[in-house]
Amino acid sequence: MNTVRIGVIGLGIGKRHLESYRNMPGVVIAAVADPDPARREECAERYAAAAWDNGEALLREAQVDAVSVCTPPSSHRSLTCLAASRGIHVLCEKPMAPTLADCDAMVAACREAGVLLMVAQKKRFHPFVQRLKHETEGRLGPIRWAVVKYALGRVPMQWFWDEADGGGPLQENSVHAVDTLRYLMGEVETVMAVGGNLFNPQHVPQVDTAAVSLRFQSGAVAALGLGQASEWAFADEHFFFACDGGEVHFSGRFDMPVHWWLAVRSPQAEPEVEELPGDDCFDREIAHFLQCVRTRTEPLVTGADARNSVAVTLAIKASIRSGQAVRLATPDS
């Protein structure tokens, strides 16, 4: 097995990346970077890694094969493009970037440099999502209707709410729900949404919550309740799907679904029910990234794919602010 030398930039959620990398065979955690001295010194000591106070220095000076970019989204473009110029493969945290122009620049830079770009839309790797993908390609048939509740707790970081950075909860976090539906149901054609700043007046004019209708190119439809409308102590998530051949729903506490229910369309059918241990999917996601780096194969979440999930979240906010439906361009246009 080829050894992969890893760097991690940004030691907030980057700490969770480090935990997964440590448990993967054939990985050397070679470098970490963060402007906070306590964070970088703690991680450097724990993982026997060299430390830098910024990601640009790490990318220019460290000897790494691949890097996790775990910084606020406004820096994703510059760090990814620099990594590409250095021949370094990139796992970039979601959301991919604040604007579609940024996303497109990241895709172009990595394509031209011949390096891998994967975006950390980890929910695609959850066993329930993978199982539903398999079922919709078999006995259930395509999804025709979906209903989703995905409402997180309070987030204090200013960058999260900044329109030019995280873009607020409908972009920074709801992109997980949007990406899951795109993975399972295909590209979105039209977005109609209503919402506002209902729970976070200190962050006006940022939109914090929305009721969203999506029409997909397949003709399928979905309704989503999204945003910061809960408290972490009891935040949860619910996904429901109706298909030609049956129905599925899975749910659990926020970002940790554990309950599965499936019923085929037959009066005699007994529902299939299962409960799994909690799984945040970081290990699955990072193992996949490493496999793609070693084999030079396309990841499950390419930059071009993740860019289209950002496009939907931007369209949701645009629809709320304009009061009009937003029609998305086809991916090839």
Side-chain angles (χ1 to χ4, degrees), residues 68-89:
S68 279
V69 175
C70 301
T71 54
S74 62
S75 61
H76 288 178
R77 175 178 178 171
S78 62
L79 290 170
T80 296
C81 291
L82 178 56
S85 74
R86 306 287 293 176
I88 298 169
H89 303 290

Side-chain angles (χ1 to χ4, degrees), residues 204-279:
V204 169
Q206 185 58 263
V207 182
D208 66 1
T209 43
V212 181
S213 296
L214 303 179
R215 178 174 290 279
F216 293 79
Q217 291 179 7
S218 66
V221 295
L224 301 87
L226 302 174
Q228 194 286 295
S230 191
E231 302 292 340
W232 289 118
F234 48 84
D236 59 0
E237 64 178 61
H238 301 267
F239 286 77
F240 169 84
F241 302 92
C243 307
D244 289 341
E247 301 175 9
V248 169
H249 59 79
F250 53 82
S251 62
R253 63 187 179 88
F254 191 82
D255 216 22
M256 196 75 71
V258 295
H259 308 291
W260 166 272
W261 185 97
L262 181 152
V264 298
R265 293 191 183 278
S266 167
Q268 290 78 36
E270 288 292 327
E272 301 172 16
V273 180
E274 185 173 353
E275 186 164 338
L276 294 181
D279 186 343

Side-chain angles (χ1 to χ4, degrees), residues 144-209:
R144 302 298 188 188
W145 179 46
V147 179
V148 174
K149 175 201 171 187
Y150 196 73
L152 72 160
R154 298 181 188 276
V155 179
M157 295 87 73
Q158 188 58 43
W159 64 262
F160 178 94
W161 296 93
D162 187 341
E163 189 70 13
D165 203 342
L170 297 184
Q171 187 168 348
E172 203 283 341
N173 192 261
S174 297
V175 72
H176 271 314
V178 166
D179 188 77
T180 301
L181 292 192
R182 283 190 54 256
Y183 177 59
L184 294 169
M185 300 174 70
E187 295 298 341
V188 175
E189 180 179 86
T190 308
V191 175
M192 183 67 202
V194 292
N197 187 295
L198 306 182
F199 299 102
N200 297 271
Q202 73 276 26
H203 294 300
V204 169
Q206 185 58 263
V207 182
D208 66 1
T209 43

